[in-house]
Amino acid sequence: MSRIIAQVVVAGATVLFRAATQAWHQALQNAHKTGVASEAAQKATQAASKITSSMSLQEAQLILGVEQAAPWGDVVKRFKHLFDVNEKHGSFYLQSKVYRAKERLEQEYEAEGRKTPDETDASAQAQQQQQPPQQQ
């Protein structure tokens, strides 16, 4: 008698498991068709972008010790100094804060249309390559 009960329980559990897996697969297919999966991916991307851009402009300026209208050269100079000091004698946390502050300011300068020296140097080199050498 106990063998029959065990077989019924195992058979019932097997049927239940198969039904649950089929329902799961059907739910995934429906989600894919309706775009729920793409919405979840978009939300994950938005959350990741919020994490990287969570530093405010004022915080970045305070960390690097620069004014709002500071030229890009000053920003790079402060960054290099603070980054090197924290590399030798500071903490990785402070070093990463300095790096993120520079990234945030760089993002702001690009959004405002102010060119960074790297972009200026690259455009000047491109113009020099396009011009033929001057003969004397």
Side-chain angles (χ1 to χ4, degrees):
M1 181 70 161
S2 64
R3 186 187 304 177
I4 296 172
I5 294 174
Q7 287 177 342
V8 169
V9 168
V10 169
T14 304
V15 168
L16 199 66
F17 180 74
R18 285 185 184 164
T21 56
Q22 286 177 352
W24 177 257
H25 287 292
Q26 187 63 41
L28 288 178
Q29 288 176 354
N30 291 343
H32 183 67
K33 287 179 185 176
T34 60
V36 172
S38 63
E39 289 176 14
Q42 288 175 350
K43 287 182 182 179
T45 303
Q46 289 172 353
S49 69
K50 285 182 182 178
I51 291 171
T52 58
S53 66
S54 63
M55 183 180 290
S56 70
L57 181 60
Q58 291 82 11
E59 183 181 4
Q61 291 168 343
L62 285 172
I63 289 171
L64 292 177
V66 294
E67 297 294 321
Q68 185 173 0
W72 182 249
D74 291 350
V75 172
V76 171
K77 183 179 175 184
R78 293 289 301 158
F79 164 74
K80 286 181 180 178
H81 171 72
L82 292 170
F83 191 84
D84 291 341
V85 167
N86 282 302
E87 185 176 32
K88 294 174 186 171
H89 307 293
S91 69
F92 180 74
Y93 174 77
L94 292 176
Q95 192 178 20
S96 65
K97 280 294 218 181
V98 168
Y99 186 81
R100 296 294 173 219
K102 179 194 164 255
E103 277 185 339
R104 177 64 176 101
L105 288 174
E106 188 173 25
Q107 191 179 54
E108 187 67 24
Y109 276 57
E110 289 173 0
E112 290 178 354
R114 296 193 285 178
K115 289 189 174 183
T116 59
D118 297 337
E119 293 171 349
T120 307
D121 292 342
S123 63
Q125 288 175 357
Q127 287 177 353
Q128 287 176 355
Q129 290 175 355
Q130 290 176 355
Q131 295 176 351
Q134 296 177 356
Q135 295 178 355
Q136 294 179 355

